[in-house]
C-alpha cells in the first residue's frame, strides 16, 4: 500500500477544509489538528473541542486521480467502523454502539449511552460524478469537561476512565481506515449493517412522533421504514429517534 501523506497542524479552521485544499497537490492524504476553531458537524452544526485533547482527523481522496471505493455511502460507514475498531481495543465491545447514520456511542457506568465520536463525510461533484471525498472524524479522547448543552450527551475516553495516548490512537485510526478501504465493499457494508442493528427496530419520526419499524437498509445507507399506514424512506439520521 502506498504511503498516504499525513499533515498535522496545531490550529486549523476545520481539518476537512484543509484536506480539501491540499487535494490540489495530492491524490489522497490525511490531515489532523490539535485544535479546530470552525469544526463542522452534520446538518450545519458545529463540532467543538479543546486543544490537544481530542482527535480531529480527515481523510481526503481525489476521486478522479485515485481509484477509490464505488459506493460513496461507504465512507461514513468506514469512518464509524474504524472508530469502533480502535475503541474496542480499549473499551469492552458491548459498551460501544453505532447510532444511525454514523455516530459512535459508549455506555457509561450507569449504562447511559453518550456520544464519543462523530463523522462527517463531504463530497465534491462535477455534474453527477463525485470528484472528491473528505471523510472527517472527531473522537473525544482526553477532554474531561463539556459545556452545559453537551454535558449529558457527550463523553470521552477520559470521562469513561481510560487514559490514552492521542498519537497512538490517531495512527491506529489511520491504519484502520486504510485497511477498511482495501476490503470488499459488500463485506464492509454488511459488517456495518450488523453493527448498526436497525432491521426490525422501532424508530420514531422526530417531526411527527409517528412510529415505524425499519424493514431494510438500502445500499445507499438509507432506510426503508414501514407502519400500518405508510412506507417511508429515511436518509437522515437526525430525523429519527430510537433506543440504542
Ligand atoms: C457530527 O457528529 O455532527 C460530525 C462531527 C464531525 C467532526 C469532525 S472533526 C474532524 C473533521 N473536521 C470537521 O470540521 N469536522 C470533522
Amino acid at each position: 500500500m502506498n504511503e498516504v501523506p499525513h499533515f498535522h497542524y496545531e490550529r486549523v479552521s476545520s481539518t476537512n477544509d484543509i484536506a480539501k485544499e491540499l487535494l490540489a497537490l495530492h491524490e489522497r492524504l490525511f490531515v489532523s489538528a490539535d485544535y479546530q476553531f470552525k469544526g463542522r458537524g452534520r446538518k450545519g452544526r458545529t463540532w467543538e473541542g479543546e486543544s490537544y485533547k481530542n482527535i480531529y482527523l480527515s481523510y481526503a481522496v481525489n476521486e478522479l486521480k485515485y481509484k477509490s471505493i464505488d459506493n460513496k455511502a461507504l465512507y461514513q460507514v468506514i469512518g464509524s467502523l474504524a472508530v469502533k475498531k480502535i475503541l474496542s481495543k480499549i473499551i469492552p465491545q458491548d459498551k460501544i454502539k453505532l447510532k444511525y447514520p454514523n455516530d459512535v456511542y459508549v455506555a457509561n457506568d450507569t449504562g447511559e449511552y453518550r456520544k464519543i465520536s462523530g463523522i462527517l463525510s463531504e463530497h465534491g461533484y462535477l455534474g453527477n460524478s463525485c470528484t472528491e471525498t473528505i471523510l472527517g472524524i472527531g473522537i473525544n479522547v482526553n477532554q474531561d469537561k463539556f459545556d452545559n448543552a453537551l454535558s449529558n450527551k457527550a463523553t470521552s475516553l477520559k470521562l469513561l476512565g481510560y487514559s490514552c495516548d492521542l498519537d497512538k490512537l490517531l495512527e491506529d485510526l489511520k491504519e484502520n481506515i486504510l485497511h477498511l478501504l482495501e476490503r470488499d465493499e459488500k463485506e464492509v457494508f454488511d459488517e456495518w449493517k450488523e453493527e448498526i442493528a436497525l432491521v426490525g427496530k422501532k424508530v420514531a419520526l422526530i417531526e411527527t412522533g409517528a412510529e415505524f419499524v425499519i424493514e431494510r437498509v438500502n445500499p445507499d445507507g438509507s432506510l426503508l421504514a414501514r407502519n400500518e399506514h405508510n412506507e417511508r424512506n429515511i436518509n437522515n439520521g437526525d430525523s429519527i429517534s430510537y433506543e440504542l
Side-chain angles (χ1 to χ4, degrees):
M1 197 185 298
N2 282 343
E3 188 71 16
V4 180
H6 178 181
F7 302 91
H8 183 81
Y9 298 87
E10 210 173 309
R11 197 171 179 274
V12 294
S13 49
S14 152
T15 53
N16 272 25
D17 291 342
I18 308 302
K20 184 179 162 68
E21 277 171 29
L22 290 173
L23 267 187
L25 304 171
H26 303 272
E27 287 183 357
R28 52 189 197 142
L29 64 130
F30 285 107
V31 169
S32 59
D34 297 321
Y35 180 68
Q36 300 187 119
F37 54 88
K38 237 178 167 177
R40 277 199 300 285
R42 286 198 321 272
K43 301 274 146 205
R45 289 188 291 252
T46 56
W47 182 263
E48 289 170 8
E50 293 173 9
S51 256
Y52 297 105
K53 300 252 169 109
N54 301 320
I55 286 181
Y56 311 104
L57 177 74
S58 298
Y59 166 80
V61 58
N62 181 326
E63 304 271 358
L64 301 175
K65 293 195 179 148
Y66 186 86
K67 167 77 190 94
S68 190
I69 50 181
D70 289 322
N71 181 356
K72 304 303 174 215
L74 263 196
Y75 280 105
Q76 44 183 322
V77 162
I78 285 176
S80 58
L81 284 178
V83 172
K84 166 133 202 223
K85 284 178 196 295
I86 67 161
L87 294 182
S88 303
K89 293 185 192 160
I90 304 166
I91 304 172
Q93 278 238 39
D94 59 336
K95 293 200 164 185
I96 312 168
K97 290 204 174 164
L98 302 190
K99 184 157 195 191
Y100 187 77
N102 47 47
D103 291 338
V104 185
Y105 277 68
V106 180
N108 62 17
D109 279 349
T110 53
E112 290 150 330
Y113 281 89
R114 302 264 195 270
K115 181 163 164 173
I116 196 163
S117 171
I119 285 128
L120 173 70
S121 74
E122 300 180 304
H123 305 276
Y125 288 92
L126 206 60
N128 282 334
S129 25
C130 178
T131 53
E132 57 187 17
T133 295
I134 296 110
L135 168 67
I137 301 176
I139 309 178
N140 301 329
V141 181
N142 288 324
Q143 182 159 337
D144 55 7
K145 271 193 281 341
F146 291 92
D147 70 16
N148 282 346
L150 284 179
S151 60
N152 59 357
K153 291 189 190 150
T155 192
S156 68
L157 284 168
K158 177 96 178 267
L159 278 175
L160 293 162
Y162 303 97
S163 69
C164 297
D165 181 312
L166 261 184
D167 294 337
K168 257 181 72 192
L169 214 55
L170 191 62
E171 283 309 309
D172 204 10
L173 180 61
K174 281 168 48 188
E175 213 173 280
N176 273 281
I177 292 169
L178 294 178
H179 184 242
L180 282 157
L181 285 165
E182 293 292 311
R183 278 180 49 194
D184 177 73
E185 293 190 22
K186 184 172 178 317
E187 210 183 281
V188 171
F189 194 68
D190 287 347
E191 187 175 323
W192 173 76
K193 276 202 295 196
E194 208 161 292
E195 288 287 349
I196 206 105
L198 269 170
V199 174
K201 209 159 215 173
K202 214 188 270 172
V203 303
L205 296 187
I206 291 175
E207 215 180 21
T208 60
E211 288 195 337
F212 284 80
V213 172
I214 302 300
E215 196 169 288
R216 190 174 73 215
V217 180
N218 296 313
D220 65 356
S222 65
L223 308 172
L224 178 71
R226 197 185 295 282
N227 65 17
E228 61 272 40
H229 311 293
N230 271 315
E231 184 184 285
R232 282 287 280 261
N233 200 61
I234 296 166
N235 56 16
N236 169 10
D238 300 299
S239 65
I240 54 170
S241 69
Y242 67 96
E243 290 285 312
L244 269 174

